[in-house]
Amino acid sequence: MNVKISERIRYVGVNDHNKVIFEGMWPLPFGVSYNSYLVVDEKIALIDTVEADFFDEFMANIHEAIGDRKIDYLIVNHMEPDHSSQIRHIISAYPEITVVGNSKTVPMMEGYHGKISKMHVVKDGDSISLGGSTLSFHLTPMVHWPETMVTYIAEEKTLFSGDAFGTFGALENGVTDSDAHLCGWLGESSGCCSEFRDETIRYYSNIVGKFGLTVQAALKKLAGISLERICSTHGPVWEKDIPEVVALYDRLSRYEALEKGVCIVYGSMYGNTEKAARALSAELTKRGVKNVLHNLCSENVSYAYRDLFRFDTLIAGSPTYNNDIYPPVFNFMHGVQARLVKNRNFFAFGSFTWAGASVRLLNEVAQKCGFNLLGDGNSFAQAYSPEKCDMSQIAEIVASL
């Protein structure tokens, strides 16, 4: 896709409708875009490339945008292979090109692509003139790799943000947030960031979630610049929704819940813990408390992490398994810890047959996260029954928060 974003900026990225799992883990029900941009001035800069499978389409987009003109600079904001796979091909197509990155980019690039003959290493705040416009470079380490940086064009008030402000979902009908739609979307479009909002939250929670502190540092560092456009490497070019998207990233990286509600996650071997989870959901719904259920045995954990970041309360259900937390729930809670999530209310429940340990162990994990425990939990023996596992009391507590 070759799209003219402004007099200087061209979008030359691609949509991927074939990949169903991102990074071998995260579902892509709406596909994904790999965004690359040309800045066309007296000199030309290409900002990031695309995933390995799309060379022909990528080159066609570039030629459609600039014809036979040469590209002077390749700016590498992020070395993750979905954005850097085409580096060697671009160098072959444009042998006079200078590759631009920072000192942490270089060893990664050499590891993937070998020695680069024309490499320009930039420091924080360095710049390159293209003639009528200037690219300035700002290091944003650990958002979400150590070499990440962003590129800013003051003349265009445009930030090329790498994976920051990105989202899952291929682009349909255009590339800006005024025109683009989520490919295959069947829901209603409303609220912040339109139909991309949930996929933006899911992308953040799945990919960037651990790095709240460094995202906050990057937001503070870039707070003073004037923005009319954010060009991420995934998802739409943000123009009209910039305040909402930046505010969303700010809240997510502070680990602030986006709304009141309950993310209920559970695993169940023989259905008893599941019955308890459904009983709890019914009690919460009866009291008007928004809640979502995630069966960690049958559903990709991606969506549970999304709702962990959305809601202020996490409730986890697990049977005791080998005197421990049931593995799917154990793995989820490990991911909660790994993402450094905080500022959540927490409650645990689960069944056991001969020794109850899961609720106690879940509470221990929650305490390590600094969560607010809403009670000791509900550990019940053998089969579920409403008498053994009365969920009305915890539902009342949550409803009163």
Side-chain angles (χ1 to χ4, degrees):
M1 196 183 331
N2 165 40
V3 178
K4 186 176 181 180
I5 296 174
S6 74
E7 287 304 313
R8 292 187 180 97
I9 300 171
R10 308 289 188 273
Y11 176 94
V12 290
V14 299
N15 281 321
D16 189 344
H17 300 285
N18 299 319
K19 185 172 291 181
V20 295
I21 296 289
F22 192 76
E23 294 186 340
M25 291 183 284
W26 316 118
L28 293 174
F30 308 109
V32 68
S33 68
Y34 309 115
N35 300 341
S36 176
Y37 306 90
L38 285 167
V39 183
V40 182
D41 207 315
E42 294 173 26
K43 293 182 177 180
I44 296 177
L46 175 66
I47 301 183
D48 293 309
T49 72
V50 302
E51 208 271 344
D53 296 338
F54 294 90
F55 175 70
D56 290 342
E57 182 179 349
F58 183 45
M59 292 304 296
N61 293 343
I62 290 172
H63 285 300
E64 185 179 344
I66 61 172
D68 293 328
R69 286 190 64 181
K70 70 173 185 175
I71 299 176
D72 298 277
Y73 299 103
L74 169 59
I75 313 302
V76 181
N77 280 331
H78 184 25
M79 269 302 300
E80 201 162 3
D82 54 332
H83 308 299
S84 67
S85 292
Q86 302 290 350
I87 286 175
R88 182 55 65 184
H89 293 299
I90 290 295
I91 292 171
S92 296
Y94 300 95
E96 296 179 10
I97 199 168
T98 298
V99 180
V100 179
N102 61 71
S103 61
K104 292 184 179 178
T105 310
V106 177
M108 293 185 185
M109 193 176 305
E110 291 180 352
Y112 279 112
H113 301 289
K115 190 76 173 176
I116 306 298
S117 59
K118 296 188 69 176
M119 184 84 204
H120 180 65
V121 179
V122 296
K123 299 185 297 296
D124 193 43
D126 283 356
S127 61
I128 291 174
S129 174
L130 299 181
S133 58
T134 299
L135 309 179
S136 63
F137 308 103
H138 307 273
L139 305 189
T140 54
M142 300 316 302
V143 184
H144 56 122
W145 278 23
E147 88 303 349
T148 52
M149 68 181 191
V150 298
T151 301
Y152 180 66
I153 307 179
E155 293 83 359
E156 293 279 339
K157 297 182 179 178
T158 295
L159 182 72
F160 298 92
S161 62
D163 276 350
F165 308 110
T167 173
F168 294 130
L171 305 175
E172 194 171 63
N173 297 336
V175 301
T176 71
D177 54 3
S178 297
D179 303 317
H181 294 282
L182 200 59
C183 283
W185 176 256
L186 298 176
E188 296 182 2
S189 300
S190 61
C192 166
C193 322
S194 190
E195 66 253 36
F196 288 96
R197 186 175 188 269
D198 274 0
E199 289 297 270
T200 303
I201 298 168
R202 190 165 70 91
Y203 181 90
Y204 182 92
S205 67
N206 292 186
I207 308 295
V208 190
K210 177 177 181 174
F211 303 103
L213 285 175
T214 48
V215 171
Q216 278 291 304
L219 289 173
K220 287 180 174 64
K221 184 176 192 175
L222 301 170
I225 67 173
S226 180
L227 279 180
E228 292 183 0
R229 188 179 298 114
I230 298 176
C231 297
S232 178
T233 47
H234 296 293
V237 172
W238 302 112
E239 292 180 336
K240 68 180 179 64
D241 283 332
I242 286 175
E244 290 84 356
V245 171
V246 172
L248 181 63
Y249 251 65
D250 183 40
R251 292 188 67 182
L252 289 169
S253 58
R254 292 178 189 273
Y255 300 101
E256 292 182 2
L258 302 178
E259 56 187 302
K260 283 191 171 296
V262 184
C263 174
I264 305 171
V265 300
Y266 69 92
S268 191
M269 286 186 286
Y270 300 111
N272 292 296
T273 301
E274 179 171 10
K275 288 174 183 175
R278 295 192 178 280
L280 172 59
S281 177
E283 290 288 343
L284 291 168
T285 300
K286 190 189 302 181
R287 290 162 176 77
V289 178
K290 182 182 289 188
N291 65 93
V292 291
L293 277 169
H294 293 290
N295 183 343
L296 299 176
C297 298
S298 60
E299 178 188 308
N300 189 291
V301 74
S302 172
Y303 301 96
Y305 288 136
R306 176 198 65 194
D307 291 335
L308 167 71
F309 275 75
R310 281 177 61 196
F311 296 123
D312 65 346
T313 300
L314 171 65
I315 297 182
S318 169
T320 295
Y321 186 85
N322 289 341
N323 209 34
D324 208 332
I325 301 168
Y326 188 44
V329 186
F330 180 95
N331 292 338
F332 170 79
M333 293 303 293
H334 173 75
V336 174
Q337 284 186 286
R339 284 164 174 75
L340 307 179
V341 179
K342 55 186 177 180
N343 304 325
R344 295 297 183 272
N345 304 308
F346 184 81
F347 186 80
F349 67 94
S351 67
F352 67 94
T353 298
W354 50 268
S358 62
V359 168
R360 172 178 57 82
L361 294 171
L362 284 167
N363 284 340
E364 288 177 4
V365 176
Q367 287 175 318
K368 289 177 182 176
C369 294
F371 291 173
N372 173 39
L373 268 61
L374 299 178
D376 294 333
N378 195 326
S379 181
F380 61 95
Q382 290 91 43
Y384 165 82
S385 71
E387 295 74 28
K388 267 189 217 177
C389 189
D390 181 7
M391 289 297 190
S392 60
Q393 186 176 4
I394 185 59
E396 285 290 344
I397 292 171
V398 173
S400 70
L401 294 173

PDB file of all heavy atoms in Angstrom, residues 308-331:
ATOM      1  N   LEU A 308      -7.112  -8.038  32.263  1.00  0.00           N
ATOM      2  CA  LEU A 308      -6.359  -7.726  33.481  1.00  0.00           C
ATOM      3  C   LEU A 308      -5.980  -6.252  33.493  1.00  0.00           C
ATOM      4  O   LEU A 308      -6.074  -5.586  34.531  1.00  0.00           O
ATOM      5  CB  LEU A 308      -5.098  -8.594  33.546  1.00  0.00           C
ATOM      6  CG  LEU A 308      -4.034  -8.209  34.576  1.00  0.00           C
ATOM      7  CD1 LEU A 308      -4.516  -8.515  35.987  1.00  0.00           C
ATOM      8  CD2 LEU A 308      -2.721  -8.935  34.288  1.00  0.00           C
ATOM      9  N   PHE A 309      -5.548  -5.723  32.349  1.00  0.00           N
ATOM     10  CA  PHE A 309      -5.178  -4.310  32.261  1.00  0.00           C
ATOM     11  C   PHE A 309      -6.403  -3.407  32.222  1.00  0.00           C
ATOM     12  O   PHE A 309      -6.329  -2.247  32.620  1.00  0.00           O
ATOM     13  CB  PHE A 309      -4.291  -4.069  31.036  1.00  0.00           C
ATOM     14  CG  PHE A 309      -2.832  -4.337  31.283  1.00  0.00           C
ATOM     15  CD1 PHE A 309      -2.354  -5.640  31.374  1.00  0.00           C
ATOM     16  CD2 PHE A 309      -1.926  -3.305  31.436  1.00  0.00           C
ATOM     17  CE1 PHE A 309      -1.011  -5.905  31.601  1.00  0.00           C
ATOM     18  CE2 PHE A 309      -0.577  -3.549  31.670  1.00  0.00           C
ATOM     19  CZ  PHE A 309      -0.117  -4.863  31.763  1.00  0.00           C
ATOM     20  N   ARG A 310      -7.538  -3.918  31.757  1.00  0.00           N
ATOM     21  CA  ARG A 310      -8.753  -3.101  31.663  1.00  0.00           C
ATOM     22  C   ARG A 310      -9.402  -2.854  33.022  1.00  0.00           C
ATOM     23  O   ARG A 310      -9.805  -1.740  33.337  1.00  0.00           O
ATOM     24  CB  ARG A 310      -9.793  -3.783  30.756  1.00  0.00           C
ATOM     25  CG  ARG A 310      -9.573  -3.644  29.276  1.00  0.00           C
ATOM     26  CD  ARG A 310     -10.651  -4.428  28.525  1.00  0.00           C
ATOM     27  NE  ARG A 310     -11.988  -3.937  28.799  1.00  0.00           N
ATOM     28  CZ  ARG A 310     -13.111  -4.635  28.521  1.00  0.00           C
ATOM     29  NH1 ARG A 310     -13.021  -5.854  28.017  1.00  0.00           N
ATOM     30  NH2 ARG A 310     -14.288  -4.114  28.777  1.00  0.00           N
ATOM     31  N   PHE A 311      -9.531  -3.931  33.828  1.00  0.00           N
ATOM     32  CA  PHE A 311     -10.390  -3.883  35.008  1.00  0.00           C
ATOM     33  C   PHE A 311      -9.599  -3.755  36.307  1.00  0.00           C
ATOM     34  O   PHE A 311      -8.438  -4.147  36.384  1.00  0.00           O
ATOM     35  CB  PHE A 311     -11.275  -5.132  35.063  1.00  0.00           C
ATOM     36  CG  PHE A 311     -12.251  -5.225  33.913  1.00  0.00           C
ATOM     37  CD1 PHE A 311     -12.265  -6.335  33.085  1.00  0.00           C
ATOM     38  CD2 PHE A 311     -13.145  -4.200  33.664  1.00  0.00           C
ATOM     39  CE1 PHE A 311     -13.155  -6.436  32.036  1.00  0.00           C
ATOM     40  CE2 PHE A 311     -14.048  -4.282  32.616  1.00  0.00           C
ATOM     41  CZ  PHE A 311     -14.051  -5.399  31.796  1.00  0.00           C
ATOM     42  N   ASP A 312     -10.282  -3.254  37.350  1.00  0.00           N
ATOM     43  CA  ASP A 312      -9.606  -3.000  38.623  1.00  0.00           C
ATOM     44  C   ASP A 312      -9.565  -4.211  39.543  1.00  0.00           C
ATOM     45  O   ASP A 312      -8.923  -4.160  40.597  1.00  0.00           O
ATOM     46  CB  ASP A 312     -10.248  -1.809  39.343  1.00  0.00           C
ATOM     47  CG  ASP A 312     -11.695  -2.058  39.774  1.00  0.00           C
ATOM     48  OD1 ASP A 312     -12.304  -3.046  39.302  1.00  0.00           O
ATOM     49  OD2 ASP A 312     -12.223  -1.258  40.570  1.00  0.00           O
ATOM     50  N   THR A 313     -10.246  -5.298  39.175  1.00  0.00           N
ATOM     51  CA  THR A 313     -10.305  -6.470  40.044  1.00  0.00           C
ATOM     52  C   THR A 313      -9.992  -7.735  39.246  1.00  0.00           C
ATOM     53  O   THR A 313     -10.552  -7.949  38.167  1.00  0.00           O
ATOM     54  CB  THR A 313     -11.687  -6.595  40.701  1.00  0.00           C
ATOM     55  OG1 THR A 313     -11.946  -5.418  41.487  1.00  0.00           O
ATOM     56  CG2 THR A 313     -11.771  -7.825  41.600  1.00  0.00           C
ATOM     57  N   LEU A 314      -9.110  -8.548  39.803  1.00  0.00           N
ATOM     58  CA  LEU A 314      -8.769  -9.850  39.229  1.00  0.00           C
ATOM     59  C   LEU A 314      -9.210 -10.930  40.209  1.00  0.00           C
ATOM     60  O   LEU A 314      -8.868 -10.878  41.397  1.00  0.00           O
ATOM     61  CB  LEU A 314      -7.260  -9.961  38.997  1.00  0.00           C
ATOM     62  CG  LEU A 314      -6.732 -11.348  38.595  1.00  0.00           C
ATOM     63  CD1 LEU A 314      -7.277 -11.763  37.222  1.00  0.00           C
ATOM     64  CD2 LEU A 314      -5.206 -11.372  38.589  1.00  0.00           C
ATOM     65  N   ILE A 315      -9.997 -11.889  39.718  1.00  0.00           N
ATOM     66  CA  ILE A 315     -10.390 -13.036  40.522  1.00  0.00           C
ATOM     67  C   ILE A 315      -9.922 -14.291  39.793  1.00  0.00           C
ATOM     68  O   ILE A 315     -10.213 -14.474  38.606  1.00  0.00           O
ATOM     69  CB  ILE A 315     -11.906 -13.069  40.773  1.00  0.00           C
ATOM     70  CG1 ILE A 315     -12.318 -11.832  41.590  1.00  0.00           C
ATOM     71  CG2 ILE A 315     -12.312 -14.352  41.495  1.00  0.00           C
ATOM     72  CD1 ILE A 315     -13.794 -11.769  41.947  1.00  0.00           C
ATOM     73  N   ALA A 316      -9.173 -15.130  40.493  1.00  0.00           N
ATOM     74  CA  ALA A 316      -8.565 -16.316  39.879  1.00  0.00           C
ATOM     75  C   ALA A 316      -9.087 -17.578  40.547  1.00  0.00           C
ATOM     76  O   ALA A 316      -9.107 -17.674  41.781  1.00  0.00           O
ATOM     77  CB  ALA A 316      -7.043 -16.253  39.988  1.00  0.00           C
ATOM     78  N   GLY A 317      -9.496 -18.535  39.725  1.00  0.00           N
ATOM     79  CA  GLY A 317      -9.973 -19.817  40.215  1.00  0.00           C
ATOM     80  C   GLY A 317      -9.081 -20.950  39.742  1.00  0.00           C
ATOM     81  O   GLY A 317      -8.773 -21.045  38.552  1.00  0.00           O
ATOM     82  N   SER A 318      -8.675 -21.800  40.695  1.00  0.00           N
ATOM     83  CA  SER A 318      -7.789 -22.909  40.342  1.00  0.00           C
ATOM     84  C   SER A 318      -8.025 -24.088  41.271  1.00  0.00           C
ATOM     85  O   SER A 318      -8.030 -23.907  42.500  1.00  0.00           O
ATOM     86  CB  SER A 318      -6.320 -22.483  40.435  1.00  0.00           C
ATOM     87  OG  SER A 318      -5.463 -23.607  40.346  1.00  0.00           O
ATOM     88  N   PRO A 319      -8.186 -25.293  40.733  1.00  0.00           N
ATOM     89  CA  PRO A 319      -8.123 -26.471  41.604  1.00  0.00           C
ATOM     90  C   PRO A 319      -6.694 -26.679  42.080  1.00  0.00           C
ATOM     91  O   PRO A 319      -5.749 -26.139  41.493  1.00  0.00           O
ATOM     92  CB  PRO A 319      -8.562 -27.609  40.679  1.00  0.00           C
ATOM     93  CG  PRO A 319      -8.195 -27.145  39.311  1.00  0.00           C
ATOM     94  CD  PRO A 319      -8.352 -25.642  39.319  1.00  0.00           C
ATOM     95  N   THR A 320      -6.562 -27.420  43.166  1.00  0.00           N
ATOM     96  CA  THR A 320      -5.226 -27.813  43.604  1.00  0.00           C
ATOM     97  C   THR A 320      -4.751 -28.972  42.738  1.00  0.00           C
ATOM     98  O   THR A 320      -5.473 -29.945  42.527  1.00  0.00           O
ATOM     99  CB  THR A 320      -5.237 -28.233  45.076  1.00  0.00           C
ATOM    100  OG1 THR A 320      -5.581 -27.086  45.865  1.00  0.00           O
ATOM    101  CG2 THR A 320      -3.877 -28.752  45.514  1.00  0.00           C
ATOM    102  N   TYR A 321      -3.550 -28.855  42.217  1.00  0.00           N
ATOM    103  CA  TYR A 321      -2.998 -29.861  41.305  1.00  0.00           C
ATOM    104  C   TYR A 321      -1.592 -30.194  41.777  1.00  0.00           C
ATOM    105  O   TYR A 321      -0.716 -29.312  41.790  1.00  0.00           O
ATOM    106  CB  TYR A 321      -2.982 -29.300  39.879  1.00  0.00           C
ATOM    107  CG  TYR A 321      -2.560 -30.277  38.812  1.00  0.00           C
ATOM    108  CD1 TYR A 321      -3.489 -31.142  38.232  1.00  0.00           C
ATOM    109  CD2 TYR A 321      -1.243 -30.343  38.377  1.00  0.00           C
ATOM    110  CE1 TYR A 321      -3.116 -32.036  37.241  1.00  0.00           C
ATOM    111  CE2 TYR A 321      -0.860 -31.234  37.393  1.00  0.00           C
ATOM    112  CZ  TYR A 321      -1.798 -32.079  36.826  1.00  0.00           C
ATOM    113  OH  TYR A 321      -1.427 -32.980  35.837  1.00  0.00           O
ATOM    114  N   ASN A 322      -1.369 -31.431  42.184  1.00  0.00           N
ATOM    115  CA  ASN A 322      -0.058 -31.820  42.723  1.00  0.00           C
ATOM    116  C   ASN A 322       0.396 -30.881  43.840  1.00  0.00           C
ATOM    117  O   ASN A 322       1.539 -30.444  43.904  1.00  0.00           O
ATOM    118  CB  ASN A 322       1.002 -31.878  41.618  1.00  0.00           C
ATOM    119  CG  ASN A 322       0.803 -33.056  40.686  1.00  0.00           C
ATOM    120  OD1 ASN A 322       0.114 -34.023  41.029  1.00  0.00           O
ATOM    121  ND2 ASN A 322       1.391 -32.977  39.498  1.00  0.00           N
ATOM    122  N   ASN A 323      -0.577 -30.530  44.695  1.00  0.00           N
ATOM    123  CA  ASN A 323      -0.331 -29.643  45.825  1.00  0.00           C
ATOM    124  C   ASN A 323       0.163 -28.262  45.388  1.00  0.00           C
ATOM    125  O   ASN A 323       0.914 -27.590  46.101  1.00  0.00           O
ATOM    126  CB  ASN A 323       0.681 -30.254  46.807  1.00  0.00           C
ATOM    127  CG  ASN A 323       0.440 -29.777  48.225  1.00  0.00           C
ATOM    128  OD1 ASN A 323      -0.706 -29.548  48.622  1.00  0.00           O
ATOM    129  ND2 ASN A 323       1.507 -29.598  48.989  1.00  0.00           N
ATOM    130  N   ASP A 324      -0.295 -27.824  44.215  1.00  0.00           N
ATOM    131  CA  ASP A 324       0.137 -26.543  43.668  1.00  0.00           C
ATOM    132  C   ASP A 324      -1.032 -25.926  42.905  1.00  0.00           C
ATOM    133  O   ASP A 324      -2.137 -26.465  42.867  1.00  0.00           O
ATOM    134  CB  ASP A 324       1.333 -26.758  42.730  1.00  0.00           C
ATOM    135  CG  ASP A 324       2.254 -25.547  42.661  1.00  0.00           C
ATOM    136  OD1 ASP A 324       1.775 -24.418  42.859  1.00  0.00           O
ATOM    137  OD2 ASP A 324       3.459 -25.735  42.407  1.00  0.00           O
ATOM    138  N   ILE A 325      -0.776 -24.772  42.294  1.00  0.00           N
ATOM    139  CA  ILE A 325      -1.761 -24.126  41.434  1.00  0.00           C
ATOM    140  C   ILE A 325      -1.853 -24.905  40.126  1.00  0.00           C
ATOM    141  O   ILE A 325      -0.830 -25.351  39.584  1.00  0.00           O
ATOM    142  CB  ILE A 325      -1.356 -22.668  41.165  1.00  0.00           C
ATOM    143  CG1 ILE A 325      -1.230 -21.889  42.484  1.00  0.00           C
ATOM    144  CG2 ILE A 325      -2.349 -21.980  40.235  1.00  0.00           C
ATOM    145  CD1 ILE A 325      -0.555 -20.528  42.334  1.00  0.00           C
ATOM    146  N   TYR A 326      -3.051 -25.077  39.607  1.00  0.00           N
ATOM    147  CA  TYR A 326      -3.268 -25.768  38.342  1.00  0.00           C
ATOM    148  C   TYR A 326      -2.455 -25.078  37.240  1.00  0.00           C
ATOM    149  O   TYR A 326      -2.477 -23.847  37.131  1.00  0.00           O
ATOM    150  CB  TYR A 326      -4.756 -25.736  38.027  1.00  0.00           C
ATOM    151  CG  TYR A 326      -5.213 -26.550  36.858  1.00  0.00           C
ATOM    152  CD1 TYR A 326      -4.759 -27.850  36.641  1.00  0.00           C
ATOM    153  CD2 TYR A 326      -6.156 -26.024  35.971  1.00  0.00           C
ATOM    154  CE1 TYR A 326      -5.217 -28.603  35.564  1.00  0.00           C
ATOM    155  CE2 TYR A 326      -6.628 -26.755  34.902  1.00  0.00           C
ATOM    156  CZ  TYR A 326      -6.152 -28.051  34.701  1.00  0.00           C
ATOM    157  OH  TYR A 326      -6.618 -28.791  33.635  1.00  0.00           O
ATOM    158  N   PRO A 327      -1.686 -25.830  36.424  1.00  0.00           N
ATOM    159  CA  PRO A 327      -0.705 -25.222  35.519  1.00  0.00           C
ATOM    160  C   PRO A 327      -1.200 -24.066  34.652  1.00  0.00           C
ATOM    161  O   PRO A 327      -0.494 -23.042  34.552  1.00  0.00           O
ATOM    162  CB  PRO A 327      -0.211 -26.410  34.690  1.00  0.00           C
ATOM    163  CG  PRO A 327      -0.271 -27.553  35.650  1.00  0.00           C
ATOM    164  CD  PRO A 327      -1.539 -27.309  36.459  1.00  0.00           C
ATOM    165  N   PRO A 328      -2.382 -24.143  33.998  1.00  0.00           N
ATOM    166  CA  PRO A 328      -2.776 -22.970  33.189  1.00  0.00           C
ATOM    167  C   PRO A 328      -2.928 -21.692  34.016  1.00  0.00           C
ATOM    168  O   PRO A 328      -2.597 -20.600  33.544  1.00  0.00           O
ATOM    169  CB  PRO A 328      -4.120 -23.404  32.584  1.00  0.00           C
ATOM    170  CG  PRO A 328      -4.080 -24.891  32.588  1.00  0.00           C
ATOM    171  CD  PRO A 328      -3.339 -25.261  33.831  1.00  0.00           C
ATOM    172  N   VAL A 329      -3.423 -21.840  35.243  1.00  0.00           N
ATOM    173  CA  VAL A 329      -3.586 -20.670  36.108  1.00  0.00           C
ATOM    174  C   VAL A 329      -2.231 -20.229  36.662  1.00  0.00           C
ATOM    175  O   VAL A 329      -1.946 -19.029  36.763  1.00  0.00           O
ATOM    176  CB  VAL A 329      -4.581 -20.971  37.246  1.00  0.00           C
ATOM    177  CG1 VAL A 329      -4.852 -19.709  38.062  1.00  0.00           C
ATOM    178  CG2 VAL A 329      -5.882 -21.533  36.692  1.00  0.00           C
ATOM    179  N   PHE A 330      -1.398 -21.196  37.007  1.00  0.00           N
ATOM    180  CA  PHE A 330      -0.031 -20.885  37.450  1.00  0.00           C
ATOM    181  C   PHE A 330       0.696 -20.064  36.391  1.00  0.00           C
ATOM    182  O   PHE A 330       1.333 -19.047  36.696  1.00  0.00           O
ATOM    183  CB  PHE A 330       0.722 -22.194  37.718  1.00  0.00           C
ATOM    184  CG  PHE A 330       2.139 -22.015  38.181  1.00  0.00           C
ATOM    185  CD1 PHE A 330       2.445 -22.025  39.532  1.00  0.00           C
ATOM    186  CD2 PHE A 330       3.176 -21.830  37.276  1.00  0.00           C
ATOM    187  CE1 PHE A 330       3.759 -21.853  39.974  1.00  0.00           C
ATOM    188  CE2 PHE A 330       4.482 -21.657  37.697  1.00  0.00           C
ATOM    189  CZ  PHE A 330       4.770 -21.671  39.047  1.00  0.00           C
ATOM    190  N   ASN A 331       0.601 -20.500  35.126  1.00  0.00           N
ATOM    191  CA  ASN A 331       1.290 -19.787  34.042  1.00  0.00           C
ATOM    192  C   ASN A 331       0.737 -18.374  33.870  1.00  0.00           C
ATOM    193  O   ASN A 331       1.494 -17.425  33.630  1.00  0.00           O
ATOM    194  CB  ASN A 331       1.156 -20.576  32.738  1.00  0.00           C
ATOM    195  CG  ASN A 331       1.929 -21.874  32.780  1.00  0.00           C
ATOM    196  OD1 ASN A 331       2.867 -22.030  33.556  1.00  0.00           O
ATOM    197  ND2 ASN A 331       1.525 -22.835  31.945  1.00  0.00           N
TER     198      ASN A 331
END
